[in-house]
């Protein structure tokens, strides 16, 4: 592989990415022992050739961006700053991901252009397997290292594979409530993890006849309204952007991006609503949008624009202007993002060597507060990342879950503690 096209979704990220809108997310593995940096570096170099989606650098031609095989070596570094920073394509030998560590934690941060959460988990799991094997003295010769039988190496563009030509009208958007406020200083990102027993969360969600994601989405809407919407006296609807793994609806094991988004929300301009009413609206939003027919239409609309011969002949610098304008309009349709990547499962022989996983979404000055969730073994972790000084939404969200009988343990990176700013870097290492 010398070069490859960006998938349909990936094309937007190089255009809009900046220090204020990084489009970077992090999946972390919390181990039960301190990380050995040298072994981690070797494990990364061992597995990288297996994954074409990661083994690239970003280039731009006259009409489109494209990926080119990156022959340099990525570097594993100790974490010394905030999570999900902008991935400068000229840093880290031009790789579009970074692997860092701090004490017992291994972090994989990914620019969304190369893959989604599914692809990142697939890569991180293989990195962990190779790391533990090297620690145990196995496969010390690089040529002996091979992917596990569970590794997925498919790099097709599943958007194109499942595209069906059909007449589809463009989807309109309406402005949603925007979370604004005083920003943390020095580019800080506040991270709060809420760790809870998965069985209790399942039981509460089931009592509402809802999935875990539906329940969490409804709680988030209710919380934002109580802590922000009422205070601002805003009549704009609260809309949550919920990414959905399309592999569950279409036959695909691609390690490239293959996701769509559900828009779930509620307008409070007419009256106040009980939580059960909010949840019923969320369930209806999921039900109406998460059908194969609806998702096929969404894929068709997005891919058809890319296939138009007029669009294909437009020079890249003009395309970029159009994409930025469209994105600035579309981003206003959402209040925030809640991404639940579900259960992360490791091979049995490695399970007891990992304590937990975290998902951190890249909050920035364009998307001030985000929420990520994942589960491992018997616990679920719901994580907020924010660049705002006000943390009342996070506090109220966890209090709401606790009120429903879900015990929660809170961990943070210390940004919201009352400490001197000179300690920020040390605090961030905990996050």
């Amino acid at each position: 592989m010398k070069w490859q096209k960006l998938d349909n979704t990936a094309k937007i990220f190089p255009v809009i990415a900046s220090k204020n809108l990084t489009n970077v997310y992090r999946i972390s593995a919390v181990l039960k022992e301190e990380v050995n940096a040298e072994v981690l570096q070797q494990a990364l170099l061992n597995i990288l050739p297996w994954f074409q989606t990661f083994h690239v650098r970003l280039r731009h031609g006259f009409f489109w961006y494209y990926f080119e095989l990156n022959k340099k070596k990525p570097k594993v570094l100790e974490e010394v700053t905030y999570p999900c920073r902008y991935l400068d394509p000229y840093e880290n030998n031009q790789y579009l991901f970074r692997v860092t560590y701090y004490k017992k934690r291994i972090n994989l941060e990914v620019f969304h252009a190369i893959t989604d959460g599914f692809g990142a988990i697939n890569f991180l799991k293989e990195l962990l397997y190779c790391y533990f094997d090297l620690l145990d003295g196995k496969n010390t010769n690089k040529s002996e290292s091979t992917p596990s039988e569970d590794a997925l190496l498919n790099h097709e563009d599943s958007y194109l594979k499942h595209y069906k030509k059909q007449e589809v009208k463009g989807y309109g958007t309406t402005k949603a409530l925007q979370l604004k406020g005083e920003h943390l200083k020095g580019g800080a990102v506040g991270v709060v993890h809420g760790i809870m027993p998965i069985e209790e969360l399942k039981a509460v969600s089931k009592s509402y006849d809802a999935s875990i994601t539906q329940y969490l989405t409804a709680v988030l809407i209710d919380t934002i309204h109580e802590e922000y919407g009422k205070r601002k006296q805003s009549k704009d609807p609260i809309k949550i952007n919920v990414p959905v793994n399309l592999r569950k609806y279409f036959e695909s094991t691609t390690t490239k991006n293959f996701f769509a988004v559900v828009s779930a929300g509620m307008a409070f301009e007419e009256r106040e609503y009980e939580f059960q009413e909010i949840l019923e609206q969320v369930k209806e939003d999921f039900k109406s949008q998460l059908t194969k027919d609806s998702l096929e239409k969404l894929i068709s609309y997005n891919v058809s624009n890319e296939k138009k011969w007029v669009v294909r002949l437009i020079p890249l610098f003009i395309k970029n202007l159009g994409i930025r304008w469209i994105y600035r309009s579309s981003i206003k349709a959402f209040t925030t993002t809640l991404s639940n990547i579900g259960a992360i499962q490791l091979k049995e022989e490695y399970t007891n060597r990992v304590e937990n996983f975290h998902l951190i979404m890249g909050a920035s000055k364009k998307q001030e507060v985000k929420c990520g969730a994942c589960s491992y073994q018997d616990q679920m972790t719901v994580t907020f990342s924010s660049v705002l000084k006000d943390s009342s939404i996070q506090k109220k969200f966890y209090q709401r879950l606790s009120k429903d009988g879900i015990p929660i343990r809170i961990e943070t990176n210390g940004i919201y503690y009352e400490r001197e700013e000179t300690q920020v870097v040390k605090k961030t290492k905990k996050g």
Side-chain angles (χ1 to χ4, degrees):
M1 186 276 297
K2 292 185 177 180
W3 71 277
Q4 57 180 292
K5 295 180 180 179
L6 277 68
D7 63 69
N8 179 259
T9 296
K11 286 182 170 66
I12 190 174
F13 295 117
V15 181
I16 63 174
S18 68
K19 291 182 179 179
N20 290 331
L21 187 61
T22 67
N23 291 293
V24 172
Y25 60 92
R26 170 190 286 192
I27 303 177
S28 299
V30 183
L31 312 187
K32 294 186 178 180
E33 57 187 8
E34 296 273 330
V35 175
N36 184 315
E38 291 183 4
V39 174
L40 182 60
Q41 175 71 57
Q42 187 58 55
L44 177 58
L45 297 180
N46 282 5
I47 74 163
L48 185 60
W50 309 337
F51 296 93
Q52 290 191 21
T53 50
F54 282 79
H55 204 182
V56 297
R57 60 178 180 169
L58 184 67
R59 311 290 282 174
H60 62 83
F62 188 74
F63 296 106
W64 295 106
Y65 286 97
Y66 64 95
F67 292 135
E68 181 180 74
L69 177 65
N70 192 340
K71 297 180 180 179
K72 299 179 182 179
K73 295 180 180 180
K75 299 177 182 178
V76 170
L77 299 172
E78 184 176 14
E79 182 186 9
V80 294
T81 186
Y82 305 104
C84 304
R85 291 178 299 110
Y86 174 60
L87 262 164
D88 189 321
Y90 296 101
E91 293 179 355
N92 192 27
N93 285 331
Q94 297 180 281
Y95 279 94
L96 301 175
F97 70 93
R98 65 169 70 97
V99 174
T100 62
Y101 67 93
Y102 180 70
K103 292 186 176 181
K104 298 180 180 181
R105 192 180 67 243
I106 295 174
N107 309 308
L108 172 63
E109 295 192 336
V110 181
F111 182 40
H112 225 317
I114 59 174
T115 190
D116 54 21
F118 179 90
I121 292 171
N122 181 54
F123 183 87
L124 179 58
K125 287 164 65 171
E126 293 301 310
L127 178 62
L128 291 172
Y129 297 159
C130 187
Y131 171 77
F132 289 133
D133 285 348
L134 289 172
L135 277 182
D136 295 342
K138 302 175 185 177
N139 301 334
T140 52
N141 187 330
K142 185 176 179 180
S143 63
E144 297 175 354
S145 186
T146 56
S148 73
E149 62 273 17
D150 299 329
L152 299 173
L153 306 177
N154 180 2
H155 56 276
E156 71 176 16
D157 186 337
S158 288
Y159 293 107
L160 290 178
K161 179 180 178 180
H162 295 282
Y163 164 72
K164 293 182 179 179
K165 187 176 181 179
Q166 53 183 306
E167 291 296 324
V168 183
K169 294 182 179 179
Y171 38 89
T173 57
T174 56
K175 183 178 180 295
L177 175 71
Q178 303 294 296
L179 300 176
K180 301 291 183 182
E182 187 176 357
H183 289 111
L184 295 164
K185 294 182 180 179
V189 177
V191 177
V192 184
H193 305 294
I195 303 167
M196 61 204 75
I198 187 69
E199 290 305 320
E200 275 85 341
L201 179 58
K202 283 181 179 178
V204 170
S205 301
K206 187 175 181 180
S207 71
Y208 286 108
D209 192 27
S211 69
I212 287 177
T213 304
Q214 290 169 346
Y215 169 69
L216 293 176
T217 301
V219 172
L220 185 56
I221 293 170
D222 197 20
T223 298
I224 291 173
H225 176 61
E226 289 293 324
E227 293 301 310
Y228 193 93
K230 281 184 177 180
R231 189 177 52 188
K232 297 293 183 180
Q233 296 183 328
S234 174
K235 293 184 178 181
D236 292 331
I238 297 171
K239 291 286 187 180
I240 310 299
N241 175 30
V242 184
V244 176
N245 182 4
L246 289 177
R247 298 167 186 83
K248 297 179 180 179
Y249 299 88
F250 301 89
E251 187 177 340
S252 172
T253 58
T254 184
T255 55
K256 287 189 173 184
N257 286 297
F258 195 42
F259 71 97
V261 296
V262 168
S263 174
M266 175 73 77
F268 294 85
E269 57 182 348
E270 296 181 358
R271 64 179 178 88
E272 295 296 307
Y273 293 94
E274 298 294 327
F275 175 73
Q276 187 65 52
E277 293 179 288
I278 297 172
L279 181 54
E280 290 304 316
Q281 180 60 55
V282 169
K283 288 160 64 176
E284 179 57 35
D285 289 336
F286 274 65
K287 181 180 178 181
S288 64
Q289 296 174 57
L290 289 181
T291 66
K292 191 166 185 179
D293 181 62
S294 177
L295 294 172
E296 281 181 343
K297 289 180 179 178
L298 184 60
I299 292 173
S300 175
Y301 175 74
N302 291 337
V303 175
S304 63
N305 288 327
E306 175 188 337
K307 283 182 168 290
K308 292 176 180 176
W309 68 268
V310 175
V311 174
R312 296 172 70 176
L313 293 178
I314 296 175
L316 181 60
F317 75 94
I318 298 178
K319 283 192 182 87
N320 288 350
L321 294 174
I323 290 173
R324 290 191 189 103
W325 182 84
I326 293 170
Y327 184 78
R328 281 195 295 268
S329 301
S330 64
I331 196 175
K332 295 178 181 178
F334 298 107
T335 304
T336 187
T337 294
L338 189 157
S339 179
N340 179 10
I341 57 176
I344 298 176
Q345 297 177 324
L346 298 178
K347 294 174 66 177
E348 187 176 356
E349 59 264 40
Y350 304 99
T351 298
N352 291 330
R353 304 181 77 162
V354 176
E355 185 72 37
N356 200 6
F357 285 89
H358 301 149
L359 169 65
I360 301 178
M361 305 298 292
S364 60
K365 290 183 180 179
K366 294 293 184 180
Q367 297 180 350
E368 280 81 355
V369 181
K370 285 189 174 183
C371 185
C374 63
S375 65
Y376 180 65
Q377 294 187 298
D378 60 353
Q379 57 190 2
M380 182 96 175
T381 303
V382 181
T383 300
F384 281 92
S385 52
S386 174
V387 296
L388 298 179
K389 279 190 174 181
D390 184 1
S391 61
S392 59
I393 289 175
Q394 296 92 311
K395 293 176 183 176
K396 188 72 174 181
F397 178 88
Y398 295 125
Q399 289 171 359
R400 178 68 176 78
L401 298 185
S402 181
K403 185 179 178 181
D404 270 350
I406 303 170
I408 300 174
R409 183 175 84 253
I410 299 296
E411 295 179 358
T412 82
N413 66 345
I415 295 301
Y416 294 116
Y417 292 160
E418 294 182 0
R419 297 181 181 177
E420 296 180 6
E421 285 193 9
T422 53
Q423 295 176 295
V424 164
V425 172
K426 291 184 179 179
K427 290 184 292 183
T428 304
K429 289 180 180 178
K430 298 179 184 178

